[in-house]
Amino acid sequence: MQQNNFFITTPIYYPSGNPHIGHCYTTVACDVVARYHRMKGDNVLFLTGTDEHGLKIEQKAKQEGITPQAYVDRITDSFKQVWSLLNISYDRFVRTTDAYHVKTVQAVFQKLCDRGFIYKGTYTGKYCTPCETFWPVKQLVNGCCPDCGREVIDASEEAYFFKLSQFADRLEDLLLNTDYLQPKSRALELVNNFIKPGLEDLCVTRSSFTWGIPVPSDPKHIVYVWIDALSNYLSALGHENDQFSGDFKQFWPANAHWVAKDIMRFHAIIWPALLMALDLPLPKRLVVHGWILMDGQKMSKSVGNVVAPKPLCDQYGVDAVRYHILREMILENDSLFSPDVMLARYNADLANGLGNGVSRTVAMVEKYFGGTLPAERCSAPVDDALIAAASALRSKVEQAIDASRLNEALAEIFSVVDAANKYVDETAPWKLAKDLQQKARLATVLYNLLETWRIVSGLLLPFMPTTMPRLWEQIGAQASDTTYERLDQWGTLTPTVSVQKGAVLFPRVENE
Ligand code: MSP
């Protein structure tokens, strides 16, 4: 089988505060896609990291009386801890303070200069003296500094600019006429808001603070944090550095960058323009999702409405948290985070639908057959719908995941969970068990249920990687029964399968 390379990335997060459920959404989504591709046999490189430079970080460190490096080391650790808690299977973690990354950014900047896409000019704007920060007029709040609220003055400084305006036509074409942006519905918004009004050249250096990567030929200037940050997708593959030899050739262009809508503009306009200027291939896909809202607003540290992942994982289990944040999110829309919805969905889908469905099946195999099914079979027409639904599930899930619609993949899987539970009601195994003539029929019903749970749990593995192997032990599935190739093959479990009662997979959570 030919192995495809698959390179997927999350944004690199600002270590300006500990990660919350909003950050987790993108990372868990990418983790599911990465695991799914590994399951299909692809050669996956899953990248995440932290974006550690900039004035904000410099200021935060100062407030705490520590160096910016000590500050980012601490918060970056807290990101790594949360990713390990959530079972994130990233292959590489890039930090913009890593020496190899710095090397790439400086080389990229120099290359853009050499190719004539960067020139020196004057940046004019409003300046907040106490914060030592330039602000574009449109970022001011009531004409004052958005950070400290004090008055700003007119000021200008020497800076370098990237000729972004040259790329307007190619960017419009990329957004409107190719599959780069997903969902496509966001393309018009970008074209109308940013490209049509006239793309301006982009100021790509700052000189009012020092926590950043110096311009190699003019080190009093610091490379703009977004040029620094976007370059992570190249540096982490060893482009223009000698850290990861061969990876750039193997994995670039990226198969998918996942981001939320707040940073779509940087990835849909600035990033492709930079790559065009560098004459590098463009990423195949940019997946843009909405926000997780809390009380009607974006969940974010600055709003102060964040939900931390740890207490939720303690209460529900890690897999349930992974399930919940993906189940609720429709790619085009924002989604509300609500503890009530989480509780109701957990109990309905996981505790009752899946967990109870599996444990009931296992209990019946134990009760009626001592734990091992006999080989005799007797089919009935009522079986056909369940067998058809379970056999068709893999291709539906594949389509949904390929379209980055993870909530739809879960909806498809849980419609088969419902079908299995309905099948129990329709076939009433407890009635069959009373009639000795019906042993073969009873075994067939229970086998069909075990097969359905095998397919369902195999497809759920990327979403719930801890619980599904525990489920397999209970239904008697071997590792070879749950490989991707077997997940659309009905009749994979050995006919005389033995089950094993185990701990409750998803214990009910009561409303406190
Ligand atoms: N450092 C930049 C990204 C540079 S990428 C080259 C940045 N960092 S961030 O820490 O602010 O993280 C932004 C990303 O976090 C969003 O794009 C999104 O992926 C995720 N989210 C943060 N809050 C979120 C929600 N409330 N809802 C959904 N995703 C959110 O921007």
Side-chain angles (χ1 to χ4, degrees), residues 27-60:
T27 305
V28 171
C30 289
D31 186 60
V32 167
V33 178
R35 286 175 183 272
Y36 163 79
H37 278 272
R38 286 191 201 107
M39 199 161 102
K40 281 178 74 174
D42 292 346
N43 184 24
V44 172
L45 201 156
F46 170 19
L47 174 69
T48 189
T50 39
D51 181 3
E52 306 186 354
H53 291 126
L55 179 68
K56 279 248 166 66
I57 304 276
E58 190 176 274
Q59 287 171 338
K60 288 230 169 199

PDB file of all heavy atoms in Angstrom, residues 27-60:
ATOM      1  N   THR A  27      -7.181  22.066  18.814  1.00  0.00           N
ATOM      2  CA  THR A  27      -6.158  21.040  19.014  1.00  0.00           C
ATOM      3  C   THR A  27      -6.771  19.641  19.032  1.00  0.00           C
ATOM      4  O   THR A  27      -6.220  18.716  18.430  1.00  0.00           O
ATOM      5  CB  THR A  27      -5.385  21.338  20.313  1.00  0.00           C
ATOM      6  OG1 THR A  27      -4.889  22.673  20.213  1.00  0.00           O
ATOM      7  CG2 THR A  27      -4.213  20.412  20.485  1.00  0.00           C
ATOM      8  N   VAL A  28      -7.913  19.499  19.695  1.00  0.00           N
ATOM      9  CA  VAL A  28      -8.561  18.180  19.712  1.00  0.00           C
ATOM     10  C   VAL A  28      -9.033  17.822  18.294  1.00  0.00           C
ATOM     11  O   VAL A  28      -8.883  16.676  17.845  1.00  0.00           O
ATOM     12  CB  VAL A  28      -9.738  18.145  20.723  1.00  0.00           C
ATOM     13  CG1 VAL A  28     -10.532  16.863  20.585  1.00  0.00           C
ATOM     14  CG2 VAL A  28      -9.213  18.275  22.144  1.00  0.00           C
ATOM     15  N   ALA A  29      -9.558  18.805  17.579  1.00  0.00           N
ATOM     16  CA  ALA A  29     -10.013  18.533  16.200  1.00  0.00           C
ATOM     17  C   ALA A  29      -8.840  18.029  15.356  1.00  0.00           C
ATOM     18  O   ALA A  29      -8.946  17.019  14.654  1.00  0.00           O
ATOM     19  CB  ALA A  29     -10.625  19.792  15.582  1.00  0.00           C
ATOM     20  N   CYS A  30      -7.712  18.713  15.442  1.00  0.00           N
ATOM     21  CA  CYS A  30      -6.544  18.280  14.658  1.00  0.00           C
ATOM     22  C   CYS A  30      -6.072  16.907  15.114  1.00  0.00           C
ATOM     23  O   CYS A  30      -5.638  16.085  14.303  1.00  0.00           O
ATOM     24  CB  CYS A  30      -5.389  19.275  14.809  1.00  0.00           C
ATOM     25  SG  CYS A  30      -5.703  20.818  13.965  1.00  0.00           S
ATOM     26  N   ASP A  31      -6.160  16.657  16.411  1.00  0.00           N
ATOM     27  CA  ASP A  31      -5.732  15.354  16.919  1.00  0.00           C
ATOM     28  C   ASP A  31      -6.583  14.238  16.324  1.00  0.00           C
ATOM     29  O   ASP A  31      -6.067  13.188  15.947  1.00  0.00           O
ATOM     30  CB  ASP A  31      -5.818  15.335  18.452  1.00  0.00           C
ATOM     31  CG  ASP A  31      -5.242  14.046  19.022  1.00  0.00           C
ATOM     32  OD1 ASP A  31      -4.049  13.793  18.783  1.00  0.00           O
ATOM     33  OD2 ASP A  31      -5.983  13.282  19.656  1.00  0.00           O
ATOM     34  N   VAL A  32      -7.897  14.483  16.239  1.00  0.00           N
ATOM     35  CA  VAL A  32      -8.789  13.471  15.673  1.00  0.00           C
ATOM     36  C   VAL A  32      -8.425  13.223  14.204  1.00  0.00           C
ATOM     37  O   VAL A  32      -8.307  12.077  13.761  1.00  0.00           O
ATOM     38  CB  VAL A  32     -10.261  13.915  15.808  1.00  0.00           C
ATOM     39  CG1 VAL A  32     -11.180  13.044  14.964  1.00  0.00           C
ATOM     40  CG2 VAL A  32     -10.679  13.878  17.274  1.00  0.00           C
ATOM     41  N   VAL A  33      -8.205  14.298  13.470  1.00  0.00           N
ATOM     42  CA  VAL A  33      -7.885  14.141  12.046  1.00  0.00           C
ATOM     43  C   VAL A  33      -6.536  13.419  11.899  1.00  0.00           C
ATOM     44  O   VAL A  33      -6.383  12.528  11.063  1.00  0.00           O
ATOM     45  CB  VAL A  33      -7.891  15.509  11.334  1.00  0.00           C
ATOM     46  CG1 VAL A  33      -7.498  15.351   9.870  1.00  0.00           C
ATOM     47  CG2 VAL A  33      -9.263  16.160  11.442  1.00  0.00           C
ATOM     48  N   ALA A  34      -5.577  13.786  12.745  1.00  0.00           N
ATOM     49  CA  ALA A  34      -4.262  13.141  12.673  1.00  0.00           C
ATOM     50  C   ALA A  34      -4.374  11.647  12.995  1.00  0.00           C
ATOM     51  O   ALA A  34      -3.849  10.795  12.279  1.00  0.00           O
ATOM     52  CB  ALA A  34      -3.287  13.815  13.648  1.00  0.00           C
ATOM     53  N   ARG A  35      -5.111  11.320  14.055  1.00  0.00           N
ATOM     54  CA  ARG A  35      -5.274   9.901  14.428  1.00  0.00           C
ATOM     55  C   ARG A  35      -6.011   9.126  13.347  1.00  0.00           C
ATOM     56  O   ARG A  35      -5.711   7.953  13.074  1.00  0.00           O
ATOM     57  CB  ARG A  35      -6.050   9.787  15.754  1.00  0.00           C
ATOM     58  CG  ARG A  35      -5.228  10.167  16.974  1.00  0.00           C
ATOM     59  CD  ARG A  35      -6.126  10.136  18.222  1.00  0.00           C
ATOM     60  NE  ARG A  35      -5.399  10.558  19.395  1.00  0.00           N
ATOM     61  CZ  ARG A  35      -4.679   9.739  20.180  1.00  0.00           C
ATOM     62  NH1 ARG A  35      -4.599   8.447  19.895  1.00  0.00           N
ATOM     63  NH2 ARG A  35      -4.052  10.216  21.232  1.00  0.00           N
ATOM     64  N   TYR A  36      -7.005   9.779  12.765  1.00  0.00           N
ATOM     65  CA  TYR A  36      -7.775   9.135  11.706  1.00  0.00           C
ATOM     66  C   TYR A  36      -6.873   8.804  10.503  1.00  0.00           C
ATOM     67  O   TYR A  36      -6.912   7.704   9.949  1.00  0.00           O
ATOM     68  CB  TYR A  36      -8.935  10.058  11.338  1.00  0.00           C
ATOM     69  CG  TYR A  36      -9.593   9.772  10.023  1.00  0.00           C
ATOM     70  CD1 TYR A  36     -10.521   8.733   9.903  1.00  0.00           C
ATOM     71  CD2 TYR A  36      -9.295  10.541   8.907  1.00  0.00           C
ATOM     72  CE1 TYR A  36     -11.117   8.477   8.685  1.00  0.00           C
ATOM     73  CE2 TYR A  36      -9.890  10.294   7.694  1.00  0.00           C
ATOM     74  CZ  TYR A  36     -10.794   9.260   7.584  1.00  0.00           C
ATOM     75  OH  TYR A  36     -11.381   9.002   6.374  1.00  0.00           O
ATOM     76  N   HIS A  37      -6.006   9.754  10.143  1.00  0.00           N
ATOM     77  CA  HIS A  37      -5.101   9.489   9.016  1.00  0.00           C
ATOM     78  C   HIS A  37      -4.069   8.422   9.356  1.00  0.00           C
ATOM     79  O   HIS A  37      -3.706   7.623   8.490  1.00  0.00           O
ATOM     80  CB  HIS A  37      -4.433  10.789   8.536  1.00  0.00           C
ATOM     81  CG  HIS A  37      -5.335  11.556   7.615  1.00  0.00           C
ATOM     82  ND1 HIS A  37      -5.360  11.339   6.258  1.00  0.00           N
ATOM     83  CD2 HIS A  37      -6.269  12.491   7.870  1.00  0.00           C
ATOM     84  CE1 HIS A  37      -6.274  12.123   5.719  1.00  0.00           C
ATOM     85  NE2 HIS A  37      -6.842  12.843   6.666  1.00  0.00           N
ATOM     86  N   ARG A  38      -3.611   8.408  10.607  1.00  0.00           N
ATOM     87  CA  ARG A  38      -2.674   7.340  10.994  1.00  0.00           C
ATOM     88  C   ARG A  38      -3.362   5.986  10.875  1.00  0.00           C
ATOM     89  O   ARG A  38      -2.787   5.015  10.418  1.00  0.00           O
ATOM     90  CB  ARG A  38      -2.188   7.541  12.436  1.00  0.00           C
ATOM     91  CG  ARG A  38      -1.187   8.664  12.557  1.00  0.00           C
ATOM     92  CD  ARG A  38      -0.533   8.632  13.957  1.00  0.00           C
ATOM     93  NE  ARG A  38       0.015   9.928  14.238  1.00  0.00           N
ATOM     94  CZ  ARG A  38      -0.486  10.804  15.104  1.00  0.00           C
ATOM     95  NH1 ARG A  38      -1.538  10.482  15.840  1.00  0.00           N
ATOM     96  NH2 ARG A  38       0.072  11.993  15.256  1.00  0.00           N
ATOM     97  N   MET A  39      -4.645   5.968  11.313  1.00  0.00           N
ATOM     98  CA  MET A  39      -5.397   4.720  11.257  1.00  0.00           C
ATOM     99  C   MET A  39      -5.535   4.234   9.813  1.00  0.00           C
ATOM    100  O   MET A  39      -5.513   3.038   9.538  1.00  0.00           O
ATOM    101  CB  MET A  39      -6.781   5.023  11.855  1.00  0.00           C
ATOM    102  CG  MET A  39      -7.566   3.857  12.310  1.00  0.00           C
ATOM    103  SD  MET A  39      -8.849   4.447  13.462  1.00  0.00           S
ATOM    104  CE  MET A  39     -10.263   4.436  12.425  1.00  0.00           C
ATOM    105  N   LYS A  40      -5.645   5.187   8.895  1.00  0.00           N
ATOM    106  CA  LYS A  40      -5.751   4.824   7.473  1.00  0.00           C
ATOM    107  C   LYS A  40      -4.403   4.412   6.885  1.00  0.00           C
ATOM    108  O   LYS A  40      -4.326   4.048   5.728  1.00  0.00           O
ATOM    109  CB  LYS A  40      -6.257   6.031   6.674  1.00  0.00           C
ATOM    110  CG  LYS A  40      -7.736   6.242   6.789  1.00  0.00           C
ATOM    111  CD  LYS A  40      -8.176   7.475   6.031  1.00  0.00           C
ATOM    112  CE  LYS A  40      -8.178   7.255   4.540  1.00  0.00           C
ATOM    113  NZ  LYS A  40      -8.756   8.425   3.817  1.00  0.00           N
ATOM    114  N   GLY A  41      -3.350   4.555   7.691  1.00  0.00           N
ATOM    115  CA  GLY A  41      -2.038   4.137   7.207  1.00  0.00           C
ATOM    116  C   GLY A  41      -1.202   5.272   6.640  1.00  0.00           C
ATOM    117  O   GLY A  41      -0.131   5.040   6.082  1.00  0.00           O
ATOM    118  N   ASP A  42      -1.685   6.522   6.763  1.00  0.00           N
ATOM    119  CA  ASP A  42      -0.899   7.643   6.244  1.00  0.00           C
ATOM    120  C   ASP A  42       0.290   7.941   7.158  1.00  0.00           C
ATOM    121  O   ASP A  42       0.276   7.621   8.350  1.00  0.00           O
ATOM    122  CB  ASP A  42      -1.766   8.917   6.142  1.00  0.00           C
ATOM    123  CG  ASP A  42      -2.841   8.774   5.074  1.00  0.00           C
ATOM    124  OD1 ASP A  42      -2.741   7.822   4.265  1.00  0.00           O
ATOM    125  OD2 ASP A  42      -3.779   9.595   5.059  1.00  0.00           O
ATOM    126  N   ASN A  43       1.274   8.573   6.568  1.00  0.00           N
ATOM    127  CA  ASN A  43       2.452   8.979   7.320  1.00  0.00           C
ATOM    128  C   ASN A  43       2.199  10.410   7.805  1.00  0.00           C
ATOM    129  O   ASN A  43       2.310  11.368   7.051  1.00  0.00           O
ATOM    130  CB  ASN A  43       3.652   8.911   6.380  1.00  0.00           C
ATOM    131  CG  ASN A  43       4.929   9.212   7.085  1.00  0.00           C
ATOM    132  OD1 ASN A  43       5.023   9.045   8.297  1.00  0.00           O
ATOM    133  ND2 ASN A  43       5.909   9.677   6.348  1.00  0.00           N
ATOM    134  N   VAL A  44       1.827  10.540   9.083  1.00  0.00           N
ATOM    135  CA  VAL A  44       1.303  11.816   9.584  1.00  0.00           C
ATOM    136  C   VAL A  44       2.362  12.613  10.328  1.00  0.00           C
ATOM    137  O   VAL A  44       3.147  12.055  11.091  1.00  0.00           O
ATOM    138  CB  VAL A  44       0.106  11.554  10.534  1.00  0.00           C
ATOM    139  CG1 VAL A  44      -0.351  12.825  11.221  1.00  0.00           C
ATOM    140  CG2 VAL A  44      -1.035  10.917   9.768  1.00  0.00           C
ATOM    141  N   LEU A  45       2.365  13.909  10.091  1.00  0.00           N
ATOM    142  CA  LEU A  45       3.131  14.804  10.965  1.00  0.00           C
ATOM    143  C   LEU A  45       2.149  15.847  11.498  1.00  0.00           C
ATOM    144  O   LEU A  45       1.560  16.616  10.739  1.00  0.00           O
ATOM    145  CB  LEU A  45       4.285  15.479  10.221  1.00  0.00           C
ATOM    146  CG  LEU A  45       5.406  15.998  11.146  1.00  0.00           C
ATOM    147  CD1 LEU A  45       6.706  16.102  10.396  1.00  0.00           C
ATOM    148  CD2 LEU A  45       5.095  17.292  11.821  1.00  0.00           C
ATOM    149  N   PHE A  46       1.948  15.803  12.791  1.00  0.00           N
ATOM    150  CA  PHE A  46       0.971  16.688  13.452  1.00  0.00           C
ATOM    151  C   PHE A  46       1.770  17.691  14.292  1.00  0.00           C
ATOM    152  O   PHE A  46       2.482  17.314  15.213  1.00  0.00           O
ATOM    153  CB  PHE A  46       0.030  15.814  14.289  1.00  0.00           C
ATOM    154  CG  PHE A  46      -0.892  16.549  15.238  1.00  0.00           C
ATOM    155  CD1 PHE A  46      -1.190  17.909  15.103  1.00  0.00           C
ATOM    156  CD2 PHE A  46      -1.501  15.856  16.281  1.00  0.00           C
ATOM    157  CE1 PHE A  46      -2.046  18.553  15.984  1.00  0.00           C
ATOM    158  CE2 PHE A  46      -2.360  16.496  17.172  1.00  0.00           C
ATOM    159  CZ  PHE A  46      -2.619  17.847  17.014  1.00  0.00           C
ATOM    160  N   LEU A  47       1.612  18.958  13.931  1.00  0.00           N
ATOM    161  CA  LEU A  47       2.414  20.026  14.535  1.00  0.00           C
ATOM    162  C   LEU A  47       1.564  20.964  15.385  1.00  0.00           C
ATOM    163  O   LEU A  47       0.484  21.386  14.977  1.00  0.00           O
ATOM    164  CB  LEU A  47       3.070  20.841  13.409  1.00  0.00           C
ATOM    165  CG  LEU A  47       3.837  22.094  13.822  1.00  0.00           C
ATOM    166  CD1 LEU A  47       5.115  21.744  14.576  1.00  0.00           C
ATOM    167  CD2 LEU A  47       4.191  22.943  12.595  1.00  0.00           C
ATOM    168  N   THR A  48       2.069  21.276  16.571  1.00  0.00           N
ATOM    169  CA  THR A  48       1.481  22.367  17.352  1.00  0.00           C
ATOM    170  C   THR A  48       2.643  23.125  17.992  1.00  0.00           C
ATOM    171  O   THR A  48       3.803  22.819  17.724  1.00  0.00           O
ATOM    172  CB  THR A  48       0.470  21.844  18.399  1.00  0.00           C
ATOM    173  OG1 THR A  48      -0.217  22.962  18.975  1.00  0.00           O
ATOM    174  CG2 THR A  48       1.140  21.051  19.515  1.00  0.00           C
ATOM    175  N   GLY A  49       2.328  24.131  18.814  1.00  0.00           N
ATOM    176  CA  GLY A  49       3.428  24.870  19.431  1.00  0.00           C
ATOM    177  C   GLY A  49       2.956  26.159  20.083  1.00  0.00           C
ATOM    178  O   GLY A  49       1.757  26.369  20.314  1.00  0.00           O
ATOM    179  N   THR A  50       3.908  27.002  20.396  1.00  0.00           N
ATOM    180  CA  THR A  50       3.591  28.278  21.050  1.00  0.00           C
ATOM    181  C   THR A  50       4.298  29.446  20.358  1.00  0.00           C
ATOM    182  O   THR A  50       5.422  29.318  19.869  1.00  0.00           O
ATOM    183  CB  THR A  50       3.977  28.239  22.545  1.00  0.00           C
ATOM    184  OG1 THR A  50       5.203  27.533  22.693  1.00  0.00           O
ATOM    185  CG2 THR A  50       2.907  27.576  23.373  1.00  0.00           C
ATOM    186  N   ASP A  51       3.605  30.577  20.381  1.00  0.00           N
ATOM    187  CA  ASP A  51       3.995  31.797  19.678  1.00  0.00           C
ATOM    188  C   ASP A  51       4.455  32.779  20.760  1.00  0.00           C
ATOM    189  O   ASP A  51       3.638  33.425  21.409  1.00  0.00           O
ATOM    190  CB  ASP A  51       2.721  32.295  18.958  1.00  0.00           C
ATOM    191  CG  ASP A  51       2.937  33.551  18.163  1.00  0.00           C
ATOM    192  OD1 ASP A  51       4.081  34.044  18.100  1.00  0.00           O
ATOM    193  OD2 ASP A  51       1.934  34.047  17.597  1.00  0.00           O
ATOM    194  N   GLU A  52       5.763  32.840  20.997  1.00  0.00           N
ATOM    195  CA  GLU A  52       6.243  33.350  22.272  1.00  0.00           C
ATOM    196  C   GLU A  52       6.795  34.771  22.280  1.00  0.00           C
ATOM    197  O   GLU A  52       7.224  35.256  23.317  1.00  0.00           O
ATOM    198  CB  GLU A  52       7.310  32.365  22.803  1.00  0.00           C
ATOM    199  CG  GLU A  52       6.779  30.938  22.868  1.00  0.00           C
ATOM    200  CD  GLU A  52       7.732  29.955  23.517  1.00  0.00           C
ATOM    201  OE1 GLU A  52       8.871  30.340  23.832  1.00  0.00           O
ATOM    202  OE2 GLU A  52       7.332  28.803  23.717  1.00  0.00           O
ATOM    203  N   HIS A  53       6.828  35.417  21.103  1.00  0.00           N
ATOM    204  CA  HIS A  53       7.384  36.769  21.087  1.00  0.00           C
ATOM    205  C   HIS A  53       6.299  37.844  21.147  1.00  0.00           C
ATOM    206  O   HIS A  53       5.122  37.542  21.067  1.00  0.00           O
ATOM    207  CB  HIS A  53       8.221  36.965  19.812  1.00  0.00           C
ATOM    208  CG  HIS A  53       9.484  36.140  19.819  1.00  0.00           C
ATOM    209  ND1 HIS A  53       9.820  35.285  18.808  1.00  0.00           N
ATOM    210  CD2 HIS A  53      10.477  36.048  20.749  1.00  0.00           C
ATOM    211  CE1 HIS A  53      10.978  34.700  19.092  1.00  0.00           C
ATOM    212  NE2 HIS A  53      11.387  35.136  20.266  1.00  0.00           N
ATOM    213  N   GLY A  54       6.750  39.089  21.268  1.00  0.00           N
ATOM    214  CA  GLY A  54       5.824  40.215  21.175  1.00  0.00           C
ATOM    215  C   GLY A  54       5.769  41.040  22.440  1.00  0.00           C
ATOM    216  O   GLY A  54       6.192  40.616  23.524  1.00  0.00           O
ATOM    217  N   LEU A  55       5.213  42.223  22.234  1.00  0.00           N
ATOM    218  CA  LEU A  55       5.162  43.196  23.318  1.00  0.00           C
ATOM    219  C   LEU A  55       4.376  42.702  24.527  1.00  0.00           C
ATOM    220  O   LEU A  55       4.764  42.901  25.672  1.00  0.00           O
ATOM    221  CB  LEU A  55       4.543  44.496  22.774  1.00  0.00           C
ATOM    222  CG  LEU A  55       4.391  45.623  23.775  1.00  0.00           C
ATOM    223  CD1 LEU A  55       5.748  46.159  24.198  1.00  0.00           C
ATOM    224  CD2 LEU A  55       3.541  46.750  23.182  1.00  0.00           C
ATOM    225  N   LYS A  56       3.228  42.036  24.248  1.00  0.00           N
ATOM    226  CA  LYS A  56       2.350  41.569  25.344  1.00  0.00           C
ATOM    227  C   LYS A  56       3.112  40.661  26.298  1.00  0.00           C
ATOM    228  O   LYS A  56       3.005  40.793  27.521  1.00  0.00           O
ATOM    229  CB  LYS A  56       1.170  40.777  24.755  1.00  0.00           C
ATOM    230  CG  LYS A  56       0.075  41.665  24.238  1.00  0.00           C
ATOM    231  CD  LYS A  56      -1.177  41.515  25.112  1.00  0.00           C
ATOM    232  CE  LYS A  56      -2.155  42.627  24.832  1.00  0.00           C
ATOM    233  NZ  LYS A  56      -2.706  42.550  23.468  1.00  0.00           N
ATOM    234  N   ILE A  57       3.863  39.748  25.723  1.00  0.00           N
ATOM    235  CA  ILE A  57       4.609  38.791  26.546  1.00  0.00           C
ATOM    236  C   ILE A  57       5.681  39.554  27.335  1.00  0.00           C
ATOM    237  O   ILE A  57       5.879  39.316  28.535  1.00  0.00           O
ATOM    238  CB  ILE A  57       5.266  37.714  25.654  1.00  0.00           C
ATOM    239  CG1 ILE A  57       4.225  37.017  24.792  1.00  0.00           C
ATOM    240  CG2 ILE A  57       6.103  36.744  26.480  1.00  0.00           C
ATOM    241  CD1 ILE A  57       3.476  35.882  25.414  1.00  0.00           C
ATOM    242  N   GLU A  58       6.335  40.478  26.643  1.00  0.00           N
ATOM    243  CA  GLU A  58       7.380  41.264  27.307  1.00  0.00           C
ATOM    244  C   GLU A  58       6.788  41.984  28.526  1.00  0.00           C
ATOM    245  O   GLU A  58       7.360  41.980  29.613  1.00  0.00           O
ATOM    246  CB  GLU A  58       7.962  42.266  26.301  1.00  0.00           C
ATOM    247  CG  GLU A  58       9.218  42.971  26.781  1.00  0.00           C
ATOM    248  CD  GLU A  58       9.815  43.881  25.697  1.00  0.00           C
ATOM    249  OE1 GLU A  58      10.594  43.385  24.875  1.00  0.00           O
ATOM    250  OE2 GLU A  58       9.474  45.083  25.683  1.00  0.00           O
ATOM    251  N   GLN A  59       5.594  42.556  28.324  1.00  0.00           N
ATOM    252  CA  GLN A  59       4.951  43.294  29.426  1.00  0.00           C
ATOM    253  C   GLN A  59       4.539  42.373  30.568  1.00  0.00           C
ATOM    254  O   GLN A  59       4.701  42.693  31.744  1.00  0.00           O
ATOM    255  CB  GLN A  59       3.719  44.036  28.906  1.00  0.00           C
ATOM    256  CG  GLN A  59       4.078  45.244  28.061  1.00  0.00           C
ATOM    257  CD  GLN A  59       2.864  45.845  27.378  1.00  0.00           C
ATOM    258  OE1 GLN A  59       1.852  45.184  27.180  1.00  0.00           O
ATOM    259  NE2 GLN A  59       2.959  47.118  27.007  1.00  0.00           N
ATOM    260  N   LYS A  60       3.970  41.226  30.216  1.00  0.00           N
ATOM    261  CA  LYS A  60       3.522  40.284  31.264  1.00  0.00           C
ATOM    262  C   LYS A  60       4.700  39.844  32.131  1.00  0.00           C
ATOM    263  O   LYS A  60       4.582  39.744  33.349  1.00  0.00           O
ATOM    264  CB  LYS A  60       2.912  39.044  30.616  1.00  0.00           C
ATOM    265  CG  LYS A  60       1.580  39.318  29.992  1.00  0.00           C
ATOM    266  CD  LYS A  60       0.589  38.297  30.462  1.00  0.00           C
ATOM    267  CE  LYS A  60      -0.797  38.752  30.038  1.00  0.00           C
ATOM    268  NZ  LYS A  60      -1.856  38.129  30.750  1.00  0.00           N
TER     269      LYS A  60
END
